[in-house]
Amino acid sequence: MSDKALADGVWRDLAAFVLDNRDSWKRAVIEQSGLPFSRIRILKRLGRAPMTVKELAAAATIDAPAATVAVNDLEDGGLAVRRIDPANRRCKVVSLTDAGREMVAAIDAVDDPAPEVLAALSDGELAALRSIVDKLAAR
């Protein structure tokens, strides 16, 4: 098996593992925030950095009209604001308001315990996994 095929297989398995084990967290976040998960995804991305609507659409893997609707909803809720981009006055940049930052903090505070199968790994296995995840996150 080539390195690329091996990497692709590992990626698919990791993604499936995370997706299969996040449902209870997603429900809790939706309940906590009162927002649909599609809006939470946008908020989380804006929590990292302000973006244009086009950048948000690409980051959230949605089309530009859907991103515009999402930003409109977040603006209506007082969680985000659009401002003219000083680097390109033809563009608007979306950023979080104070209320939006508070919402992201509340979302981040929702308990997200490790699935039992992960928690059952030995300390050595968890340390090795932590090292790998840190390496991936640094890239």
Side-chain angles (χ1 to χ4, degrees):
M1 184 181 294
S2 73
D3 289 346
K4 175 75 169 115
L6 180 59
D8 289 348
V10 169
W11 174 248
R12 276 190 302 276
D13 291 346
L14 282 172
F17 178 76
V18 170
L19 289 173
D20 290 347
N21 288 282
R22 293 300 297 274
D23 290 340
S24 62
W25 175 81
K26 281 184 176 181
R27 279 190 294 277
V29 166
I30 290 166
E31 187 176 307
Q32 165 80 22
S33 68
L35 297 171
F37 200 75
S38 61
R39 301 311 183 251
I40 293 165
R41 291 177 62 216
I42 299 289
L43 279 175
K44 294 285 288 172
R45 282 164 177 78
L46 289 173
R48 293 183 205 124
M51 297 181 182
T52 65
V53 172
K54 184 178 178 180
E55 291 169 333
L56 272 172
T61 61
I62 58 176
D63 61 25
T68 298
V69 170
V71 170
N72 289 345
D73 288 350
L74 294 174
E75 276 188 312
D76 291 347
L79 301 173
V81 63
R82 276 181 259 222
R83 293 197 173 98
I84 293 174
D85 183 351
N88 181 353
R89 298 192 53 79
R90 291 176 294 154
C91 290
K92 290 191 177 178
V93 174
V94 183
S95 59
L96 295 179
T97 62
D98 288 342
R101 283 186 287 282
E102 289 172 14
M103 180 66 76
V104 170
I107 290 165
D108 289 344
V110 172
D111 191 35
D112 189 16
E116 288 183 28
V117 66
L118 184 63
L121 294 175
S122 71
D123 288 347
E125 290 168 325
L126 286 171
L129 185 55
R130 171 83 271 157
S131 177
I132 292 167
V133 170
D134 288 347
K135 190 180 216 179
L136 293 173
R139 292 179 183 227

